[in-house]
Amino acid sequence: MRIRALSAMVMTVMGTASVHAAHAGDLDVVGPPAAQADGARLHRLIVKYRDGSAERRDVPAKLRAIESAAARALPQRTVRAQAGLQPRHVRTLAIGADVIRLAHALDRAEGEALMREIAADPAVVYVEADLRLRHTGVVAPALVPDDQYYDQYQWHLKDNDGGIRAPSAWDVSAGAGVVVAVLDTGITAHPDLDDNVLEGYDFITDSFVSRRETDERVPGAQDHGDWNPEAGECYAGSPAQPSSWHGTHVAGTVAELGNNGIGMAGVAFDAKVLPVRVLGRCGGYTSDIADAVVWASGGSVDGVPDNENPAEVINMSLGGGGSCGAAMQSAIDGAVARGTTVVVAAGNSAADAADFYPASCGSVIVVGANRINGGIAGYSNYGGTVDLSAPGGGGGVDGNPGGYVWQSWNDGETSPGEPAYVGMTGTSMAAPHVAGVAALVQSAAETPLAPQALEQLLRDSARPFPVVIPTGTPIGAGIVDAAAALEAALAEPCDPEVEECGPEAMPLVNRVPVNGLIGGGGAQLLFSIDVPAGTRSLNLRSYGGSGDVSLYVAHGRAPTVQVHDRASTRPGNSEAVVITNPAEGSYYLLVVGDYAFTNLSVLGLFQ
């Protein structure tokens, strides 16, 4: 019952003086826990008891309740053979739930039986497995920074097809004054990153995972390495592998120093990174990650000093199989309520992101991965839960350096070695591009945007995919576009005393179709058409191409999926709304991609 991280698939390491091939490893999400031979063993539980119950107030009462549930749920021979489960209270989370550790691991069937019995207790709000996650990597005038490797390697920041168009944004904002928390493996010292790194915290409470001497949480977020010396150490079939230094690479993507004459540049190179260590050897527990989300966003966590630098943005390039649990969702909801935008990687299993978490959680920005040509990366998760895409790299398919996302790294095989630079692929690499663009917007905006408004702005300003995204594998509204996002954020509001105000829409000319439209699942295109007085009939249509869209129409205002005057929602691209004797004025037509669509035509005609 583990969740594995969304890490890079292939890595090519670059030292300060030369470029050379390094090790390659497959660290992708491999599927839901049920698909893993050893992944179904239950070691830890997250249980939330109701206010006013004895269990909520008293630790011995909690443990007695677990033991009683085990006696009812598990075969007596199992309980006797294991001398009881000997549950131990680990701690109470910031969200009010408790972490319980079992002395003896249970297999999948036993674990499910135990959780059903616990859930039947009227005092219990919810119970879930404390799953282990792993990272998702190791898969106009414009500022051109003078960093020595920027021009040759960092296509993902500047390429017009697959990149994020950062140079045109840097003339406006480089992220000054914004804090981005990176919940990952921690961070290593690096001269091209150190000045932008705040003191974080190590939230790992298992010394085996952390490689520290105790289970206590400690200040700082030093990455002690996540190497595995032996195959099978984490789960049946897990490989022996060196340390990934995943957090250093992700932090570099967000805010590696830029325009400083050395190395490479980050998306928001004037922003600050708050490293929060939640992943180590074999990953990290949901309970630790949930507490880290609370703390990073400015909430209080028992036993940890309050965060003096609450993050406006949190990046989580991590995840695993399964739906979002109540503990993680509660932590995310609290962060969003405090004004923090949460960005997560979609996952690297070439599967529906709805089957992985935290990508399946609500109130997060879910990021898929695109290649240098703007197409979907073969490993990227997809589906209706994916909001937009960002560069993740295509690996060997696109060659070196174009197949990789290049940032800061460390060349140590196990414990930290020398600073270096590396090319990685994965949705782990895509997510921090979006987190970085979010930092650019929040830095430039006169008033920081609320998380929901920022998510909508990033979706609305995303650049259409330059190549066809298969209908069955949509990866959001488009590719995150730093320049367009800033332009939208800084657009002057319409003054009705000076000009006629209305929604920004592409105008339709009577009887002239707009052809060749493409978009991902969830993409929205807004059109307008001015209808004169005396018109007998108005026909608004979409047709052609492939995919599935719906039409929503309103008079005098922009429609939404929820609020509109008329709609057409048949399967496929052939939709029509016909209005007899329409009122004079502007009609707005919203085209929404129920699934990805390509080569679509939109037509408005009146007579």
Side-chain angles (χ1 to χ4, degrees):
M1 302 179 74
R2 289 188 181 84
I3 298 181
R4 300 187 62 202
L6 307 176
S7 215
M9 298 169 63
V10 179
M11 304 192 296
T12 303
V13 183
M14 185 177 74
T16 55
S18 63
V19 180
H20 57 280
H23 58 277
D26 180 3
L27 302 177
D28 289 355
V29 175
V30 297
Q36 300 177 17
D38 187 51
R41 298 189 65 76
L42 178 67
H43 294 265
R44 295 164 43 133
L45 296 166
I46 299 174
V47 187
K48 186 167 186 179
Y49 292 97
R50 298 188 186 281
D51 292 340
S53 65
E55 290 85 353
R56 184 64 184 267
R57 300 187 303 270
D58 183 48
V59 169
K62 303 180 202 289
L63 301 182
R64 287 195 299 270
I66 299 297
E67 290 175 329
S68 178
R72 294 190 300 272
L74 302 178
Q76 288 301 309
R77 56 182 177 79
T78 302
V79 175
R80 284 197 302 271
Q82 296 181 344
L85 295 181
Q86 302 173 35
R88 177 172 66 87
H89 184 260
V90 178
R91 68 183 181 284
T92 300
L93 300 177
I95 57 175
D98 295 286
V99 180
I100 306 295
R101 182 179 179 86
L102 308 178
H104 305 283
L106 302 177
D107 64 26
R108 184 178 184 84
E110 292 171 334
E112 291 178 347
L114 175 60
M115 288 191 289
R116 282 194 298 269
E117 192 64 37
I118 294 172
D121 185 343
V124 172
V125 179
Y126 63 78
V127 58
E128 61 188 62
D130 190 6
L131 299 177
R132 189 178 289 173
L133 291 79
R134 297 186 67 199
H135 60 69
T136 59
V138 191
V139 238
L143 171 64
V144 177
D146 59 10
D147 305 79
Q148 66 192 112
Y149 297 126
Y150 166 81
D151 189 59
Q152 181 180 357
Y153 289 92
Q154 293 194 283
W155 63 269
H156 41 99
L157 299 183
K158 54 187 169 61
D159 188 85
N160 282 327
D161 288 332
I164 67 169
R165 294 179 63 214
S168 296
W170 287 331
D171 284 342
V172 179
S173 172
V178 176
V179 175
V180 180
V182 174
L183 276 57
D184 215 291
T185 64
I187 201 163
T188 58
H190 199 293
D192 204 13
L193 184 58
D194 291 347
D195 286 350
N196 276 347
V197 177
L198 302 170
E199 183 179 29
Y201 222 86
D202 188 332
F203 268 78
I204 299 174
T205 56
D206 185 320
S207 60
F208 171 83
V209 175
S210 71
R211 284 196 159 94
R212 291 184 281 102
E213 292 183 356
T214 71
D215 292 340
E216 299 301 315
R217 291 169 170 165
V218 297
Q222 172 65 36
D223 190 341
H224 294 277
D226 58 358
W227 81 93
N228 298 116
E230 299 177 2
E233 184 176 38
C234 299
Y235 56 88
S238 65
Q241 56 193 7
S243 289
S244 67
W245 313 118
H246 188 268
T248 299
H249 192 279
V250 171
T253 302
V254 173
E256 191 165 322
L257 294 171
N259 210 33
N260 63 340
I262 65 170
M264 298 182 178
V267 175
F269 54 73
D270 281 348
K272 298 298 183 184
V273 167
L274 178 69
V276 186
R277 189 174 184 231
V278 296
L279 303 177
R281 175 165 46 180
C282 299
Y285 285 104
T286 297
S287 54
D288 288 337
I289 298 168
D291 266 356
V293 169
V294 172
W295 181 83
S297 61
S300 295
V301 177
D302 287 347
V304 179
D306 286 347
N307 177 13
E308 296 181 356
N309 300 288
E312 287 89 345
V313 183
I314 288 174
N315 185 88
M316 289 196 286
S317 291
L318 51 82
S323 59
C324 185
M328 185 70 77
Q329 188 64 66
S330 179
I332 289 170
D333 289 345
V336 171
R338 286 184 282 274
T340 301
T341 298
V342 181
V343 179
V344 304
N348 297 344
S349 292
D352 194 329
D355 295 328
F356 297 82
Y357 89 94
S360 58
C361 294
S363 302
V364 298
I365 300 177
V366 182
V367 185
N370 62 262
R371 297 165 49 194
I372 189 173
N373 69 350
I376 183 173
Y379 53 80
S380 180
N381 283 356
Y382 51 79
T385 61
V386 179
D387 292 294
L388 72 170
S389 176
V397 174
D398 294 321
N400 184 8
Y404 307 93
V405 171
W406 291 84
Q407 298 293 171
S408 51
W409 197 58
N410 190 283
D411 70 1
E413 284 289 306
T414 54
S415 55
E418 295 298 318
Y421 300 89
V422 74
M424 291 185 177
T425 65
T427 56
S428 273
M429 285 62 255
H433 283 88
V434 173
V437 173
L440 299 182
V441 170
Q442 296 293 57
S443 175
E446 183 174 343
T447 302
L449 279 67
Q452 298 87 344
L454 180 54
E455 176 180 349
Q456 191 63 50
L457 181 143
L458 294 177
R459 286 175 54 93
D460 290 347
S461 61
R463 189 169 70 257
F465 294 103
V467 299
V468 174
I469 304 298
T471 303
T473 58
I475 50 173
I479 299 172
V480 68
D481 190 307
L486 281 176
E487 182 180 358
L490 299 178
E492 289 291 333
C494 178
D495 185 350
E497 295 184 1
V498 177
E499 58 183 319
E500 182 179 349
C501 297
E504 290 191 16
M506 181 184 301
L508 291 174
V509 177
N510 189 26
R511 300 178 183 272
V512 178
V514 177
N515 300 317
L517 300 171
I518 63 174
Q524 298 190 359
L525 305 176
L526 184 64
F527 300 87
S528 66
I529 188 166
D530 292 329
V531 176
T535 297
R536 298 189 306 273
S537 176
L538 171 63
N539 189 334
L540 300 172
R541 300 177 52 202
S542 66
Y543 58 91
S546 61
D548 187 6
V549 301
S550 293
L551 303 188
Y552 302 89
V553 176
H555 178 246
R557 69 185 192 283
T560 67
V561 175
Q562 293 78 26
V563 181
H564 49 268
D565 297 340
R566 299 169 185 254
S568 177
T569 58
R570 294 191 297 263
N573 282 351
S574 182
E575 306 287 354
V577 172
V578 179
I579 304 173
T580 303
N581 298 321
E584 178 185 4
S586 296
Y587 281 81
Y588 290 90
L589 169 66
L590 180 66
V591 179
V592 176
D594 297 316
Y595 294 96
F597 58 91
T598 61
N599 202 27
L600 179 74
S601 295
V602 171
L603 173 66
L605 64 92
F606 55 79
Q607 57 185 8

